[in-house]
Amino acid sequence: MTLSRRDILKIGGAAAALPLLGGTAFAQEKLKVGFIYVGTINDNGYNYGHNQGRIFLQDALGDAVETTYVENVPEGPDCERVLRELAQQGNKLIFATSFGFGDAVIKVAAEFPDVAFEHATGYMKADNVGLYNARFYEGRAVCGTIAGHLSKTGKAAYIGSFPIPEVVMGINALALSGRRINPAFTVKPVYISTWNDPAKEGDAARALIDQGVDIIAQHTDGPAALQVAQERGIVGGFGQGADMSAFAPEAQLTAIIDHWGPHYVNSAKAVIAGTWTAGDTWEGLKEEVVQMGAYNKKIPADVVADAEKIRTGQIDGSFKIFTGPIKDNTGAERVAAGVAMTDAELLSMDWYVEGVEQPV
Amino acid sequence: MQFRLEKRAEPSRFMLYATPVGAVILTMIVGAIIFSLIGYDGIGAVREVFLTPLTNAYKWQDLGIKAAPLIIIGTGLSIAYRANVWNIGAEGQYVVGALAGTWVALATYTMSGPWILPLMILAGVVGGALYAAIPALLKTRLNVNEILTSLMLTYASIQLIYYLIRAQWKDPMGIGFPQTRRFAESAQLPTVIPHTIVHLGVPIAIVVALVAWFIMSRSVFGYRMRVVGAAPHAARYGGFSENKTIWLAMLVSGGLAGLAGVLEVAGPFQRMVPGFATGYGFTAIIVAFLGRLNPLGVIFAGIVLAITFVGGEVAQTTIKLPDAATGIFQAMVLFFLLAGDLLVRYRIRRVVTTPAGAA
């Protein structure tokens, strides 16, 4: 047999394509599902919540799925590499669970058109990139009701990561619901530029308590701020992402618990059935994607009853926290009386309501 | 009975080069044992962390772009450390270099042309060098320890990122997320191998290391740095100014860290983000020592550290090793290297003490 130059080129081409097949050829029987987390699964908060969702998916679908996660993935080029790695390993459904993964998800998704990507809390979609999010702000409205009743100084702090609409919305929900109870209630936001840095979260909490704050809410991933609240004996704070009462039994008034599991099950089932499309879901208390933790024993019964009213009102749709009249913190009216803000307006919220100190 | 460390007259040249290799091998062995003991597949862990990135051709591009900044920064640090100038703040100089490049990219956003990228790179080098000039100035004028000042300036540089991207440089389309807009086409580092993510920074890293090696081994500058580090008294006698050496060492290592920063922001990131500083400047310290403070060695050391990063992620997905394992492997390499170095330079002598009262 003689080999022409063309034959050699063909063989070379086939050999070059071999590694492309390696990842997918044997993955037919089980759906492989990958998760990337920005922090560790032991943060007892946001990333822990997503990992609980992964475990829920694994338990619910058993042998039909194989799940993998990569933790502590920085938001940037490292994330791109991890996503590519998961796609090459044959994961056909990949959940990127942090806002800052957006650029990388869009980039890698274009290289793997047969892989379904879902990006939590993001805003950029593509044919194979869906979005999913939770209405955390509904939980904030319940927290704010408790804060409005219990705060003695009338001052709450809010430790946030970045001033993105998702975080701004939560701050505003806390302030609006707190001011329904106590019109003098104010919220001071502080941004620490990271989702997960217990030292920074703790330092911010200490500094804020020194300034007379007696309620601390946070939109970062771990229980560090609550631990400081416990240690300093202030009125308290709220668990975020998961129940954090183990870390602050006195200080945790209630918690906003993320329950991603059912969403993960639905998406995985859709991929297995071949019906998955890039969706855009935003569910809350009603769908139980957001749940409230147990109320602390020290909260008086009438306050619990009020908080419950807000919780059930949001479930049956009778109460919407972002309903006018709403003024911003410069005094200008933003939402007219009786008008409820639309989802699109909420998702681009970049102003603070009355009672929120303008962050520096 | 006690032991005493005694300096060897002449450390074995062979051992000097064998220790880095030995440190890596020892890390693999001890790593396999430790991870087996705590219930993981220890041998699998070593295989996935150290070998898979090399055997899987898909991973080579990742190794290249992960190693490039480590090699560039490590080369600069190896020059400074040779002269006994302890610049620990390469991370900060890397950040400031990237910020300087970002400034050029944003200022030229509406323009295009092949001059933009070279200008960004120049700005990056100058930015990194200027940031390193602060500890140099404090050291030469006030005799302030450069280890402390350069390290502390790193934290200041990260605050500088936050400050700039929260207001002046914020992306108008980013729904409030503090990051700059994506750089225009002319400000993005091109890829050098089609259909891969290998960007121009990878060949630049190799060239930087080769040029540095040539200068260090063949020029008066290199001779000066080596003599000042190895024999400060002789250097002073020979007329080499100590202050001038500190300045040179800081500016060169800072400038190279700045170069790495601007290449990283123009290449893989293509915009400035709050999480830009991921620790390359600190990892490069391990790279410089693992590479025996020799730019050629730094190339290999940079690749070894890149392997542990990429392999650490592989191990997370394939055998569910926790992320912290990567850090453990990297720390073990440095630990065994330093321990090995001690034994190369010193020998352990048993000392028999005479009983009290015998004299």
Side-chain angles (χ1 to χ4, degrees), chain A residues 19-20 66-72 74-78 80-82 84-86 88-89 99-100 103 107 123 162-165 191-193 200 347 360, chain B residues 58-59 61-62 66 159 162 166 173-179 182 197 264 268-271 273-275 278 280 309-310 313-314 316-318 320 322-323:
Chain A
L20 292 167
E66 182 189 334
T67 63
T68 303
Y69 67 88
V70 184
E71 54 180 344
N72 260 343
E75 297 176 334
D78 292 295
E80 201 180 312
R81 186 172 62 246
V82 174
R84 200 173 279 118
E85 159 84 25
L86 284 169
Q88 280 160 5
Q89 301 257 358
F99 178 89
D103 278 354
K107 223 164 157 180
Y123 64 100
F162 305 103
I164 53 177
Y191 291 110
I192 61 168
S193 297
K200 268 192 187 169
L347 288 169
V360 282
Chain B
Y58 258 132
K59 297 286 161 207
Q61 50 179 351
D62 293 327
K66 198 81 192 167
Q159 296 304 321
Y162 296 159
R166 271 186 189 175
M173 306 299 291
I175 66 159
F177 194 74
Q179 60 185 16
R182 185 181 284 275
I197 50 173
E264 195 68 9
F269 280 89
Q270 297 177 350
R271 64 164 100 212
V273 300
T278 48
Y280 280 121
F309 277 113
V310 174
E313 285 154 7
V314 176
Q316 281 193 69
T317 56
T318 53
K320 324 282 181 201
D323 167 64

Side-chain angles (χ1 to χ4, degrees), chain B:
Chain B
M1 187 184 74
Q2 58 188 137
F3 295 95
R4 182 182 291 166
L5 287 173
E6 201 167 83
K7 197 161 184 163
R8 292 182 202 264
E10 184 71 36
S12 144
R13 272 194 86 74
F14 169 75
M15 287 307 290
L16 221 49
Y17 292 99
T19 26
V21 180
V24 173
I25 293 171
L26 213 53
T27 300
M28 293 187 193
I29 296 171
V30 176
I33 294 171
I34 289 179
F35 282 100
S36 298
L37 285 179
I38 58 175
Y40 290 96
D41 172 9
I43 293 179
V46 170
R47 186 190 60 233
E48 297 291 50
V49 172
F50 288 96
L51 298 181
T52 307
L54 286 174
T55 53
N56 180 346
Y58 258 132
K59 297 286 161 207
W60 295 348
Q61 50 179 351
D62 293 327
L63 289 183
I65 62 165
K66 198 81 192 167
L70 292 174
I71 292 170
I72 297 174
I73 305 172
T75 299
L77 291 182
S78 70
I79 294 171
Y81 295 167
R82 265 292 162 92
N84 271 349
V85 176
W86 303 106
N87 178 5
I88 305 297
E91 180 82 353
Q93 294 135 26
Y94 164 85
V95 165
V96 173
L99 286 173
T102 303
W103 174 63
V104 173
L106 295 179
T108 61
Y109 186 73
T110 52
M111 303 172 225
S112 63
W115 51 275
I116 292 177
L117 206 52
L119 190 65
M120 282 171 69
I121 291 175
L122 183 68
V125 173
V126 172
L130 283 180
Y131 208 56
I134 302 172
L137 187 74
L138 292 171
K139 171 78 176 181
T140 51
R141 286 294 167 84
L142 304 167
N143 202 23
V144 183
N145 188 325
E146 77 277 17
I147 297 177
L148 295 177
T149 50
S150 63
L151 177 65
M152 289 192 294
L153 281 169
T154 299
Y155 303 111
S157 74
I158 291 167
Q159 296 304 321
L160 192 61
I161 300 184
Y162 296 159
Y163 175 75
L164 289 168
I165 62 179
R166 271 186 189 175
Q168 291 94 322
W169 290 2
K170 193 158 83 175
D171 180 3
M173 306 299 291
I175 66 159
F177 194 74
Q179 60 185 16
T180 67
R181 65 209 315 174
R182 185 181 284 275
F183 294 171
E185 196 82 16
S186 300
Q188 295 181 5
L189 209 57
T191 49
V192 286
I193 305 175
H195 308 299
T196 68
I197 50 173
V198 178
H199 56 72
L200 192 61
V202 176
I204 290 179
I206 305 293
V207 170
V208 163
L210 291 177
V211 170
W213 170 78
F214 186 79
I215 291 175
M216 283 305 280
S217 55
R218 297 279 183 275
S219 74
V220 178
F221 168 81
Y223 180 67
R224 162 206 276 273
M225 302 308 258
R226 283 181 288 134
V227 169
V228 170
H233 292 296
R236 213 168 300 145
Y237 189 72
F240 289 151
S241 144
E242 203 178 331
N243 280 352
K244 204 170 164 194
T245 309
I246 292 169
W247 271 105
L248 283 171
M250 287 306 278
L251 292 180
V252 168
S253 56
L256 285 178
L259 172 65
V262 71
L263 293 175
E264 195 68 9
V265 78
F269 280 89
Q270 297 177 350
R271 64 164 100 212
M272 180 53 74
V273 300
F276 177 75
T278 48
Y280 280 121
F282 294 117
T283 310
I285 298 173
I286 306 182
V287 169
F289 280 105
L290 191 64
R292 295 277 82 151
L293 304 186
N294 176 330
L296 292 186
V298 163
I299 296 180
F300 291 100
I303 294 171
V304 169
L305 266 294
I307 288 173
T308 61
F309 277 113
V310 174
E313 285 154 7
V314 176
Q316 281 193 69
T317 56
T318 53
I319 60 168
K320 324 282 181 201
L321 207 64
D323 167 64
T326 311
I328 294 175
F329 277 114
Q330 289 173 353
M332 272 201 287
V333 171
L334 185 64
F335 175 79
F336 287 127
L337 180 73
L338 295 178
D341 270 359
L342 190 79
L343 295 178
V344 171
R345 289 177 211 281
Y346 295 84
R347 79 182 73 197
I348 296 173
R349 264 285 161 78
R350 209 175 81 180
V351 182
V352 185
T353 43
T354 34

Side-chain angles (χ1 to χ4, degrees), chain A residues 1-279:
Chain A
M1 188 180 104
T2 55
L3 284 173
S4 70
R5 189 187 291 170
R6 185 172 294 167
D7 287 332
I8 291 173
L9 280 176
K10 266 188 211 157
I11 295 167
L18 266 180
L20 292 167
L21 300 170
T24 55
F26 305 103
Q28 295 308 317
E29 57 287 331
K30 263 187 186 186
L31 174 68
K32 291 177 85 176
V33 186
F35 290 79
I36 61 169
Y37 309 133
V38 69
T40 76
I41 59 165
N42 300 319
D43 68 357
N44 295 294
Y46 183 78
N47 296 291
Y48 170 83
H50 278 289
N51 197 50
Q52 290 301 110
R54 180 187 67 83
I55 293 166
F56 184 91
L57 164 66
Q58 187 73 69
D59 291 346
L61 298 189
D63 283 344
V65 293
E66 182 189 334
T67 63
T68 303
Y69 67 88
V70 184
E71 54 180 344
N72 260 343
V73 178
E75 297 176 334
D78 292 295
C79 155
E80 201 180 312
R81 186 172 62 246
V82 174
L83 286 170
R84 200 173 279 118
E85 159 84 25
L86 284 169
Q88 280 160 5
Q89 301 257 358
N91 290 282
K92 290 291 170 221
L93 174 60
I94 297 175
F95 293 100
T97 63
S98 188
F99 178 89
F101 293 152
D103 278 354
V105 171
I106 294 291
K107 223 164 157 180
V108 176
E111 295 169 32
F112 296 91
D114 63 328
V115 176
F117 290 84
E118 291 201 15
H119 181 208
T121 73
Y123 64 100
M124 290 178 286
K125 275 183 76 173
D127 284 346
N128 60 333
V129 179
L131 302 173
Y132 64 108
N133 201 348
R135 294 180 188 269
F136 304 115
Y137 72 85
E138 294 183 345
R140 304 281 176 208
V142 180
C143 296
T145 306
I146 298 172
H149 277 290
L150 297 189
S151 175
K152 295 186 188 79
T153 61
K155 284 201 242 173
Y158 201 110
I159 300 173
S161 50
F162 305 103
I164 53 177
E166 151 130 25
V167 178
V168 172
M169 218 185 300
I171 294 170
N172 286 339
L174 186 84
L176 284 174
S177 55
R179 290 169 73 84
R180 287 178 67 251
I181 312 298
N182 171 9
F185 182 77
T186 59
V187 178
K188 181 184 171 67
V190 171
Y191 291 110
I192 61 168
S193 297
T194 169
W195 292 107
N196 186 17
D197 185 336
K200 268 192 187 169
E201 292 163 47
D203 282 347
R206 267 177 223 109
L208 289 160
I209 292 170
D210 289 341
Q211 293 169 30
V213 152
D214 66 358
I215 296 274
I216 291 190
Q218 88 269 17
H219 197 143
T220 48
D221 293 347
L226 266 183
Q227 283 172 303
V228 172
Q230 169 86 17
E231 195 180 289
R232 298 285 292 267
I234 61 168
V235 174
F238 307 96
Q240 155 69 5
D243 187 327
M244 298 175 172
S245 56
F247 298 89
E250 304 296 320
Q252 178 179 298
L253 301 172
T254 181
I256 298 172
I257 299 171
D258 306 345
H259 187 46
W260 303 103
H263 175 77
Y264 290 151
V265 171
N266 289 339
S267 293
K269 278 183 176 163
V271 171
I272 292 169
T275 58
W276 186 91
T277 51

